[in-house]
Amino acid sequence: QVTLVESGGGLVQAGDSLRLSCAASGRYFDFYAVGWFRQAPGKEREFVAVISWNGRDKFYSDSVKGRFAASTNNQNTVYLQMNTLKPEDTAVYYCALLTGDNWSRWRDYDYWGQGTQVTVSS
């Protein structure tokens, strides 16, 4: 049984920073990478970032590139450092394990966490 648990969300003002955590348990090491996605009300789930467990491979969406940074503790936790937050970053943020070939498509992920709410006020 693989479980992912996100934490670190909250209510912040535009320009502030937050760091999200995604802690894994079970046989998470059978999977190469962890992805971060977000979903705002009425919108589709959107790819944010992906990072391999060894931290060597990282990819970001254009909307967060240069502001967000993914990292790992080389054990069972990945992080998403979010800087210069904007109101349009408001969403529920999820982490999940990459199980398919397309790292930007949510359908290629499984073992989703419960999500953590990020709200950025203007």
Side-chain angles (χ1 to χ4, degrees), residues 2 26-34 51-54 96-100 110-111:
V2 177
R27 294 189 62 85
Y28 60 91
F29 42 84
D30 286 346
F31 303 91
Y32 180 69
V34 180
I51 181 170
S52 56
W53 279 111
N54 61 17
L97 296 176
L98 180 64
T99 56
D110 204 346
Y111 304 104

Side-chain angles (χ1 to χ4, degrees), residues 19 22-24 28-29 31-34 51-58 70-79:
R19 189 177 80 157
C22 172
Y28 60 91
F29 42 84
F31 303 91
Y32 180 69
V34 180
I51 181 170
S52 56
W53 279 111
N54 61 17
R56 285 203 298 257
D57 295 321
K58 304 176 189 180
S71 62
T72 80
N73 67 351
N74 292 316
Q75 294 182 30
N76 71 326
T77 304
V78 299
Y79 304 97

Side-chain angles (χ1 to χ4, degrees), residues 56-74:
R56 285 203 298 257
D57 295 321
K58 304 176 189 180
F59 299 98
Y60 300 94
S61 69
D62 288 343
S63 61
V64 307
K65 199 175 296 183
R67 299 189 297 123
F68 290 13
S71 62
T72 80
N73 67 351
N74 292 316

Side-chain angles (χ1 to χ4, degrees), residues 4 11 15 37 40 44-46 48 50-54 57-58 74 77 80 89 93 97 99 113-114:
L4 301 182
L11 171 62
F37 287 76
E44 289 193 358
R45 193 162 295 192
E46 174 191 15
V48 174
V50 61
I51 181 170
S52 56
W53 279 111
N54 61 17
D57 295 321
K58 304 176 189 180
N74 292 316
T77 304
L80 186 68
D89 295 318
Y93 283 71
L97 296 176
T99 56
Q114 83 288 351

